[in-house]
Amino acid sequence: MTHGHEHDAGHEGEHKRAGDGRTKAKPQTRHENQHENSSESGHEGPPPPSEPAALLVIGEVATDVIARHSAPLEHGTDTAARIRIIPGGAAANVACWAARKSPVHEVRLFGRVGQAEEQWHCAHLRATGVRPVLVVDDNASTTTVVSLVDATAERTFLTDSGALQRFGPTDWSPTLLDGVGHVHLSGYLLFSDSSRQLARLARESARARGITVSMDPASAGFIRQRGVAEVLAELDSVHLLVPNADEARLLAGLPDVAASAAALSRRVPLVVVTLGEGGALVATAGAVTARVPARAVEALDSTGAGDAFTGGFLAAWLSGADTVTAASAGCRAGTEAVTLPGGRPPLSPDTRPTDTVSSGIGPTSAASSETGPTSTVPSGTTPSDAVCPITACSDTAQSMPPHAG
């Protein structure tokens, strides 16, 4: 998809490389120059952009290790499981679902990945219709998440943030907003000092350009660790908040999810709370304005269902749908997601990259290949005056990288 943004055919996947593992530059000049319904209150929240423009999702790309086990875990010994390694990450999942559901908007993903997994992730993002803009970290592996999925399809996560913890303000350039009509921030950016500063810069840059911003809080566990007050302080300039029920109750400090949604909508203009099989609540101006049901299905894996909802909601809302219609679209995407393994929409056979497991240590030849120029940042340069190379993603099938942890 190229709607709302013109770019060179050879650069759909753009990468900023920092030889020491930290980004030392802004993008090249080429990048800079491109650049059930009840309406109780009558408020719809902020209107979506009126013109088709790109959706920029900012946050984590992850390597997901999904272990599905039908028997309870036995501590200290073996438990039989079916294990798959697939691309994931909340931000990347949102981008993929938005690209799948959006008829008019280009979807871009800005994130940071390890060098060994760069081409593999890029190939999968492009196959789903997402334009990757990835900072390549030579010294840290891509965020890795182990997802333990039980017989009820409920999941528990073990997370190694990896390159995401090194995603920071020096990676940001306001030119990333060229051609963008809306920015979505993953809440996982809030849980390290470096990525939290990047999220603030992105919000400030978006506010300066009049671009709307949405955020999902990401993780009740991480919110508790970070502190509710600190997370709430990061909602400045956010127009749309998409928490799940646990996150909404935690952030509002209330036991009732509807009351929590209403309370949060006094801080953020539009709040949409996902309720799993219960659908979603929409709240604006201190009141719940809609309750949207979800269709009942037999769940296989709930991983990424909330991300699918957010992607589906944004695709509809940014295309001009009202909040109830957009929430219904989000529920349909979330319902589809729980019938699939992993957090991404399915790929058609003609676009699916070929994944082959490597037993080697370090990057595979396919994962480490580059089809664009490479260069090193001269010693003594500063982030403001050095130039990062931007390399194109290969169109060839990519082998699955070995775990670099």
Side-chain angles (χ1 to χ4, degrees), residues 55 57 60 62 64 87-99 101 145 155 157 184-188 215-219 242-244 247 274 302-315 329-331 333-335 337-338 342-345:
L55 164 63
V57 181
E60 74 283 10
D64 282 352
N93 294 344
V94 168
C96 289
W97 282 100
K101 300 297 183 180
V145 179
R155 70 270 191 266
F157 297 131
H184 178 75
L185 299 171
S186 168
Y188 284 107
M215 181 184 290
D216 64 87
S219 166
V242 192
N244 64 25
E247 293 156 1
T274 59
S302 59
T303 301
D307 305 331
F309 176 94
T310 301
F313 180 95
L314 289 174
C331 285
T335 296
V338 300
R344 300 273 182 94

Side-chain angles (χ1 to χ4, degrees), residues 92-149:
N93 294 344
V94 168
C96 289
W97 282 100
R100 176 182 173 87
K101 300 297 183 180
S102 176
V104 295
H105 295 276
E106 179 187 68
V107 180
R108 309 175 195 168
L109 175 68
F110 179 48
R112 190 177 182 103
V113 298
Q115 183 271 338
E117 303 88 6
E118 165 194 352
Q119 291 293 317
W120 182 66
H121 280 293
C122 185
H124 277 271
L125 289 165
R126 288 187 60 203
T128 317
V130 175
R131 178 184 173 191
V133 183
L134 303 177
V135 180
V136 180
D137 194 318
D138 293 332
N139 292 335
S141 62
T142 301
T143 298
T144 302
V145 179
V146 178
S147 178
L148 307 177
V149 185

Side-chain angles (χ1 to χ4, degrees), residues 22 33 48 73 79 96 99 108 124 133 135 151 159 173 190-191 194 200 208 210 232 237 266-267 287 310 332 340 366:
R22 297 294 300 170
N33 288 340
L73 293 175
T79 301
C96 289
R108 309 175 195 168
H124 277 271
V133 183
V135 180
T159 302
S173 169
L190 304 182
F191 305 125
S194 179
R200 288 174 184 168
L232 289 174
S237 301
R266 297 185 184 98
R267 180 183 291 268
T310 301
R332 289 193 296 273
L340 304 168

Side-chain angles (χ1 to χ4, degrees), residues 3-5 51-56 105-108 178-183 318:
H3 303 282
H5 187 83
E51 296 295 329
L55 164 63
L56 176 65
H105 295 276
E106 179 187 68
V107 180
R108 309 175 195 168
D178 290 354
V180 169
H182 182 82
V183 173
L318 296 175

Side-chain angles (χ1 to χ4, degrees), residues 137-309:
D137 194 318
D138 293 332
N139 292 335
S141 62
T142 301
T143 298
T144 302
V145 179
V146 178
S147 178
L148 307 177
V149 185
D150 65 19
T152 69
E154 191 51 78
R155 70 270 191 266
T156 301
F157 297 131
L158 302 173
T159 302
D160 177 356
S161 296
L164 182 65
Q165 289 188 316
R166 300 156 63 88
F167 199 28
T170 56
D171 295 329
W172 179 253
S173 169
T175 60
L176 289 163
L177 296 179
D178 290 354
V180 169
H182 182 82
V183 173
H184 178 75
L185 299 171
S186 168
Y188 284 107
L189 295 171
L190 304 182
F191 305 125
S192 79
D193 291 339
S194 179
S195 59
R196 187 167 59 256
Q197 292 176 45
L198 182 148
R200 288 174 184 168
L201 279 176
R203 294 199 310 272
E204 292 168 1
S205 297
R207 178 172 56 190
R209 295 196 183 198
I211 295 172
T212 53
V213 176
S214 57
M215 181 184 290
D216 64 87
S219 166
F222 283 172
I223 292 171
R224 279 189 287 268
Q225 292 175 26
R226 186 73 202 178
V228 169
E230 291 198 30
V231 173
L232 289 174
E234 299 299 329
L235 299 182
D236 179 51
S237 301
V238 171
H239 303 85
L240 164 64
L241 185 68
V242 192
N244 64 25
D246 289 341
E247 293 156 1
R249 285 189 289 253
L250 181 59
L251 289 172
L254 298 171
D256 180 73
V257 66
S260 298
L264 289 171
S265 72
R266 297 185 184 98
R267 180 183 291 268
V268 177
L270 176 60
V271 175
V272 182
V273 180
T274 59
L275 306 175
E277 61 185 13
L281 294 176
V282 178
T284 59
V288 171
T289 59
R291 299 173 185 269
V292 180
R295 182 170 58 90
V297 295
E298 184 175 349
L300 171 69
D301 180 0
S302 59
T303 301
D307 305 331
F309 176 94

